[in-house]
Amino acid sequence: MKNIITFLFLFLPILVCTQTLNSLSYTEYLGYVKQFHPIVKQADLRIEKGLANLMKARGGFDPKVKIDFNEKDFKNKEYYERLNATFKVPTWYGIELKANFEENNGLYLNPENNVPDDGLFSAGVGFSLGQGLWINKRMTDVKKAKYYKEQTKAERNILINNVLYNASIAYFDWLQAHDQAKIYERFLDNAKTRFNGVRSSVLAGDKAGIDSLEASIVVKTRTLELEQSRVKLLKARLEASNFVWLNNTPVDINDTVNPVLVLEDEIDVALSLNKAINFNVDNHPKLLALGSKIDGLDVDKRLNTNKLLPVIDAQYNFLTETPELANTLNVSAYKATINVAFPLFLRKERGDLKLSKLKIQDAEFEFSDTQLQIKNKIDAITKELESYKVQNELIRTIVEDYKTLLKAEERKFSFGESSVFLINSRESKLIDNQVKEIKLKNKFFVTKAKLFNSLGIVPK
């Protein structure tokens, strides 16, 4: 019993893997793409980039400590020694809280820098009354970073959607090439069987030698078609392999692995098309990205509008020698400054504002055009899918009719009432229509993928 358990433990995984290696379904294939493809992982870096950009912008509101120390000694004389330590806390609406400690001494100290022996403490506030009151560079950077973060999310979804779309096309082409090769293999076997039968009849004297030659030509023709289809299958399989990765390593799909018949419902589930019935075009990733871009440009416009105001920066600081006593911070000891600046013509500011407005108009035109294109494309693809459903049903009935004609011709041939030429003609028509049926089915699948791509869906 122990040996049996050991055998199962060692070899059961191998047996399971051997079974799964014989085929690769569309859902499994897409699962590998979603989980391991480097472009999908690269797309996630877009979000990381957006978060890093936001963190950088928020750094503009980080508290800051600044220490300045200056000393001068010459000919054994201490000219001056100055220490200035500042702690600043920027806030949202252009207001800056500030605490300062100043200690200065020396023989040649500037009189305005004279402070008590134990130093001078100050606490106050700086604020803008013109430019920077309602919006400033720090506020602008944070707002734009938030919009950029949303833009990177949309761009990530677009990138992943394109990868899954291209991977789906590659799988459908691989499935088409595989099915076509199987058709030529089957009809090559039929041609060989027919050739052997005709050749036996010729040797027995029941048929003319020309029938054997014609049957031989059919075998060679089918062999040529099969060889051509195998080359297409090889190329399609390698193209599909481009999207299969495992743990950062590209994986080649072995020639023993076959694609599995794909059903419409499987595509709808794998690409989340069954959840896109009530799709709102305004939620398309491209429009969300453009919307975030417009929002960022609007923030720039508001900043440039604010620059038309004069610069009025003011500071007010309470001074004290004993900061531990709260009542010493009063208006009897203070230091105040005010700075005013205003360009006379505002040509630079008005030019920046005009450029901001033009950029917004340009982005809005692009948004409207993209919105219309997406809507029309989705409508066209939906109508195309409906047409392909009708075409696939028609070609299916045509193929069945040609199968019936071929069977009837083969029956007449067995009674000696037909010829190899007529059978070959019927068979060629059947092959052509079966290939056409496979191509139409592939076009239907590809159009499903196009709908997925046009909707900009990112399945979980």
Side-chain angles (χ1 to χ4, degrees):
M1 184 65 182
K2 183 179 179 181
N3 292 335
I4 294 175
I5 294 175
T6 303
F7 174 82
L8 291 174
F9 179 77
L10 292 175
F11 292 100
L12 185 59
I14 298 176
L15 295 174
V16 172
C17 290
T18 303
Q19 291 178 353
T20 57
L21 284 176
N22 291 332
S23 62
L24 181 63
S25 71
Y26 174 65
T27 302
E28 292 171 334
Y29 172 82
L30 217 58
Y32 282 111
V33 178
K34 292 176 186 176
Q35 188 170 358
F36 298 110
H37 198 279
I39 299 298
V40 175
K41 293 183 178 181
Q42 182 188 29
D44 290 332
L45 296 180
R46 297 290 182 97
I47 295 180
E48 296 286 340
K49 184 179 178 181
L51 292 172
N53 197 62
L54 179 58
M55 181 171 64
K56 176 185 175 182
R58 283 175 173 164
F61 291 92
D62 289 345
K64 295 178 177 64
V65 176
K66 182 179 179 182
I67 298 176
D68 290 328
F69 179 77
N70 292 279
E71 182 179 15
K72 181 178 179 181
D73 289 314
F74 183 66
K75 293 183 178 181
N76 297 322
K77 293 180 181 180
E78 185 182 54
Y79 275 57
Y80 57 81
E81 184 178 281
R82 298 197 303 264
L83 173 65
N84 193 309
T86 305
F87 177 71
K88 295 181 181 180
V89 181
T91 61
W92 187 252
Y93 285 107
I95 299 174
E96 189 174 68
L97 304 179
K98 181 180 178 182
N100 181 265
F101 173 72
E102 189 176 1
E103 186 178 42
N104 305 318
N105 53 68
L107 295 175
Y108 301 103
L109 193 68
N110 193 320
E112 72 173 14
N113 293 325
N114 288 329
V115 297
D117 293 338
D118 292 333
L120 184 66
F121 295 87
S122 65
V125 61
F127 48 90
S128 299
L129 298 175
Q131 285 188 29
L133 177 60
W134 300 112
I135 188 168
N136 53 53
K137 186 67 167 60
R138 288 194 300 262
M139 294 167 61
T140 300
D141 288 343
V142 173
K143 288 183 177 181
K144 287 175 63 178
K146 288 180 178 179
Y147 291 131
Y148 180 71
K149 185 184 73 170
E150 297 303 316
Q151 183 178 338
T152 56
K153 286 182 181 179
E155 290 174 349
R156 168 209 179 250
N157 291 342
I158 293 171
L159 200 57
I160 292 177
N161 178 276
N162 287 332
V163 172
L164 296 180
Y165 164 72
N166 292 324
S168 298
I169 299 298
Y171 186 90
F172 298 150
D173 289 345
W174 178 33
L175 177 63
Q176 174 184 331
H178 172 266
D179 290 346
Q180 288 181 0
K182 288 297 180 184
I183 289 176
Y184 291 121
E185 284 180 6
R186 186 168 66 253
F187 281 100
L188 175 59
D189 292 338
N190 293 344
K192 287 180 179 178
T193 301
R194 190 180 306 116
F195 170 71
N196 291 332
V198 171
R199 187 168 179 274
S200 298
S201 297
V202 170
L203 293 175
D206 296 335
K207 292 186 179 294
I210 193 68
D211 290 338
S212 176
L213 177 60
E214 188 169 359
S216 174
I217 292 173
V218 173
V219 171
K220 293 175 182 177
T221 302
R222 299 288 178 261
T223 303
L224 175 62
E225 291 170 339
L226 176 59
E227 190 62 29
Q228 291 173 339
S229 69
R230 282 175 175 169
V231 173
K232 292 180 180 179
L233 176 59
L234 172 64
K235 293 170 66 176
R237 179 170 52 79
L238 291 176
E239 182 65 28
S241 297
N242 290 335
F243 297 92
V244 181
W245 290 69
L246 189 62
N247 297 326
N248 298 323
T249 304
V251 178
D252 285 336
I253 300 176
N254 196 282
D255 56 4
T256 59
V257 180
N258 296 320
V260 180
L261 176 66
V262 180
L263 301 176
E264 181 180 355
D265 291 341
E266 184 182 1
I267 298 176
D268 291 343
V269 172
L271 299 180
S272 297
L273 289 174
N274 52 347
K275 298 180 181 179
I277 299 174
N278 299 320
F279 177 77
N280 185 356
V281 69
D282 291 332
N283 293 328
H284 194 283
K286 287 184 179 179
L287 296 181
L288 292 177
L290 283 172
S292 296
K293 178 182 176 181
I294 292 172
D295 290 335
L297 292 173
D298 185 65
V299 173
D300 279 334
K301 187 194 80 171
R302 281 186 283 160
L303 178 63
N304 288 326
T305 302
N306 185 259
K307 289 180 180 179
L308 296 177
L309 299 175
V311 176
I312 307 175
D313 294 333
Q315 286 192 33
Y316 189 91
N317 297 280
F318 297 99
L319 304 177
T320 180
E321 298 179 63
T322 54
E324 66 276 7
L325 302 177
N327 60 359
T328 60
L329 294 172
N330 54 61
V331 295
S332 62
Y334 67 90
K335 181 172 70 173
T337 60
I338 185 167
N339 297 314
V340 179
F342 186 69
L344 294 180
F345 299 113
L346 293 172
R347 284 183 290 194
K348 179 180 182 300
E349 290 75 11
R350 287 187 288 117
D352 287 340
L353 180 58
K354 181 66 174 178
L355 289 172
S356 296
K357 291 180 178 179
L358 291 174
K359 287 179 181 179
I360 291 176
Q361 288 181 354
D362 183 69
E364 287 175 343
F365 288 144
E366 184 181 0
F367 183 92
S368 300
D369 180 63
T370 304
Q371 185 181 44
L372 181 62
Q373 286 188 24
I374 291 173
K375 184 179 180 300
N376 289 340
K377 189 174 183 181
I378 291 172
D379 291 341
I381 291 175
T382 303
K383 295 287 180 15
E384 191 177 359
L385 279 172
E386 294 174 359
S387 176
Y388 277 130
K389 286 182 179 179
V390 176
Q391 293 180 48
N392 274 287
E393 184 60 29
L394 286 173
I395 193 65
R396 186 187 65 78
T397 59
I398 292 172
V399 168
E400 291 301 321
D401 291 342
Y402 272 113
K403 285 181 179 178
T404 302
L405 286 175
L406 178 59
K407 287 180 181 178
E409 203 65 48
E410 287 175 339
R411 184 173 177 81
K412 288 170 65 178
F413 181 76
S414 64
F415 295 148
E417 297 177 1
S418 183
S419 64
V420 174
F421 173 79
L422 289 175
I423 289 181
N424 182 43
S425 177
R426 300 288 190 196
E427 194 175 68
S428 295
K429 289 289 186 180
L430 176 59
I431 292 173
D432 290 343
N433 281 277
Q434 282 188 328
V435 170
K436 187 182 293 184
E437 181 183 25
I438 291 172
K439 289 182 178 180
L440 276 174
K441 182 174 66 175
N442 179 69
K443 287 181 179 180
F444 177 73
F445 292 161
V446 167
T447 306
K448 279 277 187 181
K450 287 181 179 178
L451 178 61
F452 162 77
N453 186 238
S454 298
L455 292 171
I457 301 171
V458 177
K460 293 184 179 179

